[in-house]
Amino acid sequence: MRFFEDIQVGQRRELESFTFTADRIRKFAGQFDPQRFHLDEEEAKKSLFGGLAASGWHVGSVCMKLLVADGQRQAEQAAARGEKIAIWGPSPGFRELRWIKPVLAGDTISFFSEVESLRTSSTRPEWGILQARNTGTNQRGELVFSMLATAFVPRRNSSSGGAS
Amino acid sequence: MRFFEDIQVGQRRELESFTFTADRIRKFAGQFDPQRFHLDEEEAKKSLFGGLAASGWHVGSVCMKLLVADGQRQAEQAAARGEKIAIWGPSPGFRELRWIKPVLAGDTISFFSEVESLRTSSTRPEWGILQARNTGTNQRGELVFSMLATAFVPRRNSSSGGAS
């Protein structure tokens, strides 16, 4: 992960892709969103989705997982270069969480994260505040998922948030 | 679940409560949000959270699970009364997803859902569109979570969306 000073508006990172298999869709739905169109293929065909569809919370949680994995990869690369590692703070929220198209069984979603804005915090001078647009695109190039995330990012010369 | 015609703005339902134990927090985080403040109590104490905190996606997914359970309970009650059951459609998205305060290990969150707006759909006359404010409040009465959800709700006299 990077420090606030290393980040510019417009920077875009490609995260990993993820295939939403029918098994994964049903497993998540069974735990957190047991609606018929997330659990049963025959019922799902009759729904507005037209087929077994992933829970939106599943799509969002997978995006979160890939964001964290990307951050950890960046931290490992920084460590390998002998650099100080930035440890990001928690997110106060997400806005404009949108499920634009269904994610159906077998779809492979490519996730991206693009920096939309950066500002410093007056109440917490050790942290900067970043807004990023995180999106998912299916194998046909259609945008299926979008959310605007806010995160606390440590500043390079702060005492907290860094690890050697 | 109810039909569009049975719902009024301002109706508020109390969903089940849920206790975010350390085990549940770590299990979800291990799968979907493996950040240190969701996994390790000692590291979490040093973070902005001040203690082991649930992933926001975990809080949202649990709220979803309790919304679905509440809908299924209503459907069972309607069936027991011999009424036609409304089967809700998918949600096109959530807005204003906010994690207002940390949900720490041991916190019990009470979830509520209140109808904010209702409108009919011109392109899909068989469905109404409902907006509900879903919230979570901890055992000290503090609001910790809020989101504005949109859902497709079947109209009573439509051919789809109903099951006898």
Side-chain angles (χ1 to χ4, degrees):
Chain A
M1 293 172 120
R2 296 159 295 163
F3 285 94
F4 185 74
E5 287 76 8
D6 305 329
I7 301 170
Q8 282 95 43
V9 169
Q11 279 177 343
R12 179 176 161 94
R13 291 189 63 83
E14 180 166 1
L15 312 178
E16 283 173 71
S17 296
F18 186 92
T19 299
F20 288 82
T21 62
D23 274 358
R24 285 167 166 171
I25 288 173
R26 282 190 296 253
K27 189 178 167 204
F28 186 96
Q31 282 185 78
F32 293 111
D33 195 352
Q35 298 184 81
R36 56 182 187 143
F37 36 67
H38 300 319
L39 287 171
D40 186 289
E41 310 213 16
E42 289 310 309
E43 289 289 319
K45 277 183 195 157
K46 294 182 240 158
S47 75
L48 288 183
F49 288 129
L52 190 72
S55 164
W57 293 96
H58 191 187
V59 179
S61 296
V62 165
C63 182
M64 188 70 220
K65 166 198 171 97
L66 300 182
L67 283 166
V68 172
D70 184 62
Q72 289 175 340
R73 212 161 28 236
Q74 289 183 66
E76 283 160 20
Q77 289 163 356
R81 291 191 302 265
E83 294 171 13
K84 193 176 168 193
I85 297 169
I87 297 176
W88 286 31
S91 171
F94 288 72
R95 291 197 296 134
E96 301 170 27
L97 182 62
R98 292 193 301 139
W99 296 304
I100 298 146
K101 280 181 177 282
V103 173
L104 298 179
D107 280 355
T108 297
I109 309 301
S110 302
F111 290 94
F112 298 86
S113 181
E114 183 167 338
V115 179
E116 281 213 351
S117 72
L118 290 165
R119 64 185 173 86
T120 53
S121 165
S122 51
T123 52
R124 289 171 164 153
E126 297 185 324
W127 296 92
I129 297 165
L130 170 148
Q131 278 204 320
R133 171 79 55 186
N134 302 317
T135 56
T137 301
N138 67 17
Q139 65 277 14
R140 291 179 296 280
E142 298 163 330
L143 187 69
V144 298
F145 173 73
S146 172
M147 66 173 170
L148 193 60
T150 308
F152 287 107
V153 181
R155 303 189 66 175
R156 188 169 279 284
N157 296 316
S158 73
S159 57
S160 80
S164 325
Chain B
M1 295 171 119
R2 295 160 295 165
F3 285 94
F4 184 75
E5 287 75 9
D6 305 329
I7 302 172
Q8 282 95 43
V9 169
Q11 279 177 343
R12 179 176 160 94
R13 292 190 61 83
E14 180 165 2
L15 312 178
E16 283 173 70
S17 296
F18 185 92
T19 299
F20 288 82
T21 62
D23 274 357
R24 286 167 165 170
I25 288 174
R26 282 191 296 253
K27 188 178 168 204
F28 185 95
Q31 281 185 79
F32 293 112
D33 195 353
Q35 298 183 82
R36 55 183 187 140
F37 36 65
H38 300 321
L39 287 171
D40 185 290
E41 309 214 15
E42 290 310 309
E43 289 287 320
K45 279 185 193 155
K46 294 181 238 160
S47 77
L48 289 183
F49 288 130
L52 190 73
S55 165
W57 293 96
H58 190 187
V59 179
S61 295
V62 165
C63 181
M64 188 70 221
K65 167 199 171 96
L66 300 182
L67 283 166
V68 172
D70 183 62
Q72 289 175 341
R73 212 161 26 237
Q74 289 183 66
E76 283 160 20
Q77 289 163 359
R81 291 191 301 265
E83 294 171 14
K84 193 176 168 194
I85 297 169
I87 297 176
W88 288 30
S91 170
F94 288 73
R95 290 197 296 134
E96 302 170 29
L97 181 62
R98 292 193 302 138
W99 296 303
I100 297 143
K101 281 181 176 282
V103 173
L104 298 179
D107 281 355
T108 296
I109 309 301
S110 301
F111 290 93
F112 298 87
S113 182
E114 183 167 338
V115 179
E116 281 212 350
S117 73
L118 290 164
R119 65 186 174 84
T120 53
S121 165
S122 50
T123 52
R124 288 171 165 151
E126 298 184 323
W127 296 92
I129 296 165
L130 169 149
Q131 277 204 320
R133 170 80 54 186
N134 302 318
T135 55
T137 301
N138 68 18
Q139 66 276 17
R140 290 179 296 280
E142 297 163 330
L143 187 69
V144 297
F145 173 73
S146 172
M147 67 174 170
L148 192 60
T150 307
F152 287 107
V153 181
R155 302 188 67 172
R156 189 169 278 284
N157 296 316
S158 72
S159 58
S160 81
S164 327

